[in-house]
Structure formats: structure tokens, C-alpha cells
Amino acid sequence: MARSNKPILWLPFAGGGLVAALIMPVLILITGVLVPLGVLHLHYETIAAVAHNPVGKLVLLGALALPAWHAAHRLRMTAHDLGLGGGIFVKAGCYGTAGLLTFTAALALILI
Amino acid sequence: MSETITLEVLRYHPETDSEPHFRSYTVPYKDEWVVLDALNHIKDNLDATLSYRWSCHMAVCGSCGMMINNEPKLSCHAFLRDYRGGVIRVEPLDHFPIERDLVIVMDSFMDKLSGVKPYLIPKEDRPLAEGEYLQSPAELNTFHRYTQCINCVLCYAACPQIGLNEDFVGPAALALAHRYNLDSRDGGRDARAEVVASNEGVWECTFVGACSQVCPKQVDPAAAIQQIKISASVDWLKNLLTPGGYR
Amino acid sequence: MSRRPYVRKVERSWWLRRPRYVLYMIRELTSLFVGLYCALLVVGLVRLAQGPAPWDGFVAAFSSPLGVAVQLLCLVFAIYHSVTWFALTPKAMPLMMKGEPVPGAVIVGAHYVAWAAVSAIVLIGAGV
């Protein structure tokens, strides 16, 4: 047996799990409850200003990409738990989606 | 007529049975009896062909683990009074082959246990004349709970990942590995990592946490495994950043 | 005496056999909703990059009955994820102080404080 390279998947899983636990509920509270109720307004200028700032770009990327990798890894393990196999399709589907989301988010942040 | 309680016991005799089947026994109910007492009553008075393992009758030897109403338990630690008015279903521990009746085949566990080198590997050889390896109470405190394991394998019966992948090293062996890794007198962490941090090691764990919930000795294997995941990840990062690879 | 060990098969529905396994499976399936919400936010980021009008359209879609329904579902699972994640932190990251283990409740409590602080910062940043 040899040491595994699983940390490359587990570290983003664990980091993303913590990030998601800390920020996701409040983000959904804002976009799904406070904005529809009219308590808050997400003006283009305000959000774009955050996305223009280099630190803001990094924070946004981390806040989006890490939970995506967390979800991808957990879903893949759950697929295995449910007897759906750990084959190449499950892996490609889970990690591929997370990779695509990360790439898209990074590209959007660069272009803003 | 005095009170009784019914046990449904899974029976399997490889000479005559093609597959296991349940058999019902009615035994006297006593407040102070545990399931093991009821099994002993069956063996002594009702059916001498019943096979099961036990020794100490006091949650020390770790040999009388069984599924009791679908929950892995030491049968010496499961009181009849907690099942009063119902039927007690007794089966061999989940995730192990059945040798005979309630006796399981434990070879896979013994191999996994020896695979993690669960013994002190000193950092350097020291002549006897230099005296003992001293350890402070604080150093002992870091790993003391993991020394409590009695190898009863209830955690293997509780862990779904063992059921899904029989090669997974599993809770008790990994907790024991962690116990020696944390020991201030030990220098064997790298040697153990070859198994502990392999694909069949901690990475098969999805932190269900059932192992720690069923442990009769509060060893908390789930905690040990998560801590190994973190330290193995730190090792992996260090290896990535330093030329020459793992020490 | 002939040895013929009997191997019992694990059913695909193993996780329905015990309440603790069901709770575990719900915890694992929170990832579906965490991932879904992440994907929706990435769409929002793309709309933001496209300019003010696409962004306003995105915000309107998020505030539609369907958008709110999906997000409320995500919120329930996101909170379940947070609670279960914090509950397990003492096992993964035990702390020793003066040779004695720090009680698990203190470690979990610290995560709840951090959760409240991050939520407050995000809410203030969003203009509450």
C-alpha cells in the first residue's frame, strides 16, 4: 500500500464545508428572503464594486468555488453509499461540474 | 407463572444449513440478567448446540459482541430489562462472515489490526542503561482514551463503509494507529502512514460517526480518523512543497 | 467439521435500516442543495459580468415565487449542513489547554460565534 493523493480532494471538501457552513445560510437569507421581501436591494453598482475590488474577487471566488468542490466530493461519496458506483461517470459528473463552476466564476470575475 | 422473555436467535450450522435462520427460545425474565445470561440459560437448559463467544461477562474481554435488536452491543452489557415486554432479536455482528450461529470470522480484522503496527516503535534505539522513556500525565492525556479499545469490533459492525468496502482498514485499527502516533515515546507515524493514509485507510471514512456511538469503551474512533485525515493532509502538502518526497 | 462461512450481503437500502443512518444520509444530501445554490450564484456572477440589465433580470428571477421556493429549500438544507458540520468539529479539531482537553461544547460554541459574526458582517455589507 502507499500513501494516497486523496488530500487533493479532501482539503477542498473540508475547507468548502466550513465556508459553506459559515456563509451559505446568510447568503440564502439575503437572496431568497430579504431581497424578495423588499427589505434589501442588491443594486448592480454595489455588487459590481465588490467584484471590481481584487480582494472582493478572491473572496467571491473562494465563497463560490470551495463549497462547489465540497458538494462535488460529498455527492460522489454519497453516490457510492447509495450503490450507484464510484465509476468514472460519477467522478466526472461531480468533479467536472465543480471544475466548470470554478472556471466560469473565475472567468466572470476576470471579465468584470 | 413467573415472567419470561423471548429471544429470536439467528442459527447457522455449516454442516446442515444452506443459510441462517431464526429460532425462538423462551427464557426466564430476571431484572439483573443480561442477554448473555439468557444465552447461557439456553445453552445449559434448552439447546446445547448453540454457539457463541464469551469470556469475562464484565465488558472487558470484548468477545461477546452481537447484533441485539439490530444494534451492535456486548451481550454482557445489554440488560433484559431494557427489552422488557418485547422480543429480543440476536444475530452475529454485521459485516463479518458467520462461522457458526453467533460466532463470526474475525480474520480480516486481525490482519487489519496488525497492518497498522499497533505497538511502540521508538524514535531511536537506546541502550537499556539510559533508563526508561518518561512521559508526563499531559502527554498521556493526549491518547489515553484510545488505549481503552478492547477489540470487540462493534464499530466494524456499525460502520456502513465496512459493509460497502471490506478492505477499509476500519475504526478500531485506525484508532489504535492514532493512539501510537500520538504517543510521545513513539516514532512510527511514517511507517504506519503507508497503511493508515492509503486509499483503504482513513480516506474510506465518510464520518458517519456510528463507530463512536456504539463503542462500549468511549474510544471515539471517528475522532481519531478525522484527526488522521488532517495530519495526513498536512503531510501531503509538505510533501508537495518539499523536494525529495516523504521522509 | 467443515468450515463454510456464510457471508451476508449488504442491501442497497442499508441506510434505511437505522435512524442514525437516515440522518447521515440527509446530512450527505445537503451537498445537493449546497451545490445547486453555488451553481445559481455562479449564474448570477455571469449576469453581473454582462451588465446592469442582465443583473436586474437575475435578481428578479431569484425573487420570483419559483426562485424563492428553491432557495427556501436550499436554506433548510444549508442550515442542516451548518449545524451538523459544527457539531462534528470537536472530534476533528480537539484542543488541549494545560494538558486537559477543551470541552467539546466550547469548540462548537466558538463555531457558532464565528457563524454569527460572519453572518452579521455579510448582512451589514449587503446594507442592512
Side-chain angles (χ1 to χ4, degrees):
Chain A
M1 276 190 263
R3 295 196 209 207
S4 171
N5 285 317
K6 286 277 167 71
I8 201 172
L9 297 172
W10 188 79
L11 284 169
F13 161 78
L18 183 61
V19 170
L22 288 172
I23 66 158
M24 203 144 271
V26 72
L27 287 183
I28 307 177
L29 184 71
I30 291 171
T31 63
V33 178
L34 297 180
V35 170
L37 285 177
V39 179
L40 266 179
H41 297 282
L42 295 176
H43 298 296
Y44 173 80
E45 294 74 24
T46 328
I47 308 300
V50 176
H52 273 299
N53 183 305
V55 178
K57 283 185 202 288
L58 272 180
V59 170
L60 283 175
L61 187 63
L64 291 178
L66 281 172
W69 284 96
H70 162 84
H73 185 62
R74 202 170 230 186
L75 268 179
R76 182 203 146 197
M77 301 305 259
T78 308
H80 180 253
D81 286 351
L82 294 173
L84 302 175
I88 190 74
F89 290 110
V90 171
K91 280 183 196 171
C94 291
Y95 299 126
T97 306
L100 189 68
L101 287 176
T102 307
F103 176 76
T104 309
L107 197 66
L109 283 167
I110 290 167
L111 292 177
I112 286 172
Chain B
M1 202 185 117
S2 56
E3 187 176 347
T4 60
I5 192 163
T6 301
L7 271 73
E8 284 180 359
V9 182
L10 196 70
R11 304 295 309 268
Y12 172 65
H13 279 198
E15 300 87 353
T16 50
D17 301 340
S18 60
E19 58 182 29
H21 57 277
F22 280 102
R23 236 193 107 176
S24 241
Y25 301 94
T26 302
V27 302
Y29 171 88
K30 293 193 172 131
D31 256 346
E32 69 277 14
W33 268 18
V34 290
V35 170
L36 180 58
D37 293 313
L39 292 173
N40 284 340
H41 178 88
I42 295 171
K43 178 111 178 150
D44 292 344
N45 302 290
L46 305 174
D47 186 347
T49 66
L50 180 64
S51 295
Y52 52 99
R53 289 194 180 111
W54 72 286
S55 179
C56 77
H57 200 290
M58 47 194 265
V60 170
C61 75
S63 51
C64 70
M66 300 165 192
M67 303 302 295
I68 297 173
N69 281 2
N70 213 13
E71 186 76 5
K73 277 181 185 294
L74 296 178
S75 56
C76 69
H77 217 210
F79 281 91
L80 296 188
R81 57 177 183 253
D82 293 330
Y83 304 92
R84 199 171 184 178
V87 172
I88 304 177
R89 201 165 242 241
V90 187
E91 298 165 77
L93 284 176
D94 273 355
H95 306 150
F96 289 94
I98 306 174
E99 180 77 55
R100 184 183 198 84
D101 294 340
L102 300 171
V103 177
I104 53 166
V105 182
M106 281 181 71
D107 300 14
S108 62
F109 170 70
M110 301 316 261
D111 291 342
K112 290 169 184 174
L113 186 61
S114 58
V116 302
K117 304 183 195 295
Y119 39 80
L120 280 176
I121 303 173
K123 290 190 186 82
E124 77 270 16
D125 273 333
R126 235 165 59 170
L128 210 56
E130 282 184 30
E132 59 275 63
Y133 292 84
L134 294 177
Q135 188 163 62
S136 71
E139 286 168 334
L140 174 65
N141 235 343
T142 59
F143 65 84
H144 182 258
R145 77 179 316 171
Y146 303 120
T147 66
Q148 301 297 304
C149 177
I150 55 175
N151 298 340
C152 66
V153 297
L154 298 194
C155 51
Y156 284 70
C159 173
Q161 300 305 335
I162 290 285
L164 294 167
N165 173 12
E166 57 181 353
D167 293 329
F168 172 35
V169 175
L174 290 169
L176 254 296
H178 194 51
R179 172 250 174 277
Y180 287 98
N181 285 349
L182 290 176
D183 195 313
S184 58
R185 301 163 295 179
D186 182 81
R189 196 163 86 87
D190 283 329
R192 285 182 205 104
E194 296 298 317
V195 172
V196 167
S198 72
N199 280 337
E200 309 299 347
V202 289
W203 305 115
E204 278 296 308
C205 165
T206 54
F207 208 167
V208 180
C211 52
S212 298
Q213 288 171 331
V214 303
C215 179
K217 293 292 182 183
Q218 285 80 48
V219 170
D220 206 349
I225 295 173
Q226 310 323 308
Q227 290 161 33
I228 298 175
K229 284 181 191 170
I230 292 176
S231 63
S233 295
V234 172
D235 286 350
W236 182 84
L237 278 175
K238 277 187 193 157
N239 175 53
L240 203 66
L241 300 172
T242 51
Y246 289 111
R247 289 137 293 153
Chain C
M1 291 267 276
S2 60
R3 285 195 64 189
R4 202 158 53 80
Y6 184 85
V7 177
R8 293 161 287 177
K9 280 209 173 66
V10 173
E11 309 266 328
R12 242 183 204 207
S13 58
W14 61 267
W15 54 278
L16 288 169
R17 284 187 70 197
R18 281 173 222 159
R20 74 159 68 96
Y21 292 163
V22 175
L23 289 176
Y24 159 76
M25 198 49 82
I26 295 171
R27 187 194 84 188
E28 296 301 281
L29 288 175
T30 58
S31 58
L32 209 54
F33 298 91
V34 168
L36 173 65
Y37 186 70
C38 270
L40 293 175
L41 286 187
V42 170
V43 171
L45 208 54
V46 171
R47 288 281 182 256
L48 187 73
Q50 287 171 341
W55 170 256
D56 288 340
F58 167 75
V59 173
F62 248 40
S63 303
S64 70
L66 177 66
V68 171
V70 169
Q71 287 180 89
L72 286 180
L73 198 61
C74 288
L75 183 60
V76 171
F77 282 95
I79 291 173
Y80 191 76
H81 166 72
S82 300
V83 171
T84 52
W85 190 271
F86 296 145
L88 295 175
T89 51
K91 289 188 192 290
M93 293 178 286
L95 285 175
M96 299 291 281
M97 290 263 275
K98 294 172 187 156
E100 291 296 326
V102 174
V106 173
I107 298 173
V108 176
H111 279 87
Y112 275 88
V113 170
W115 190 17
V118 169
S119 301
I121 291 167
V122 173
L123 280 172
I124 291 166
V128 166

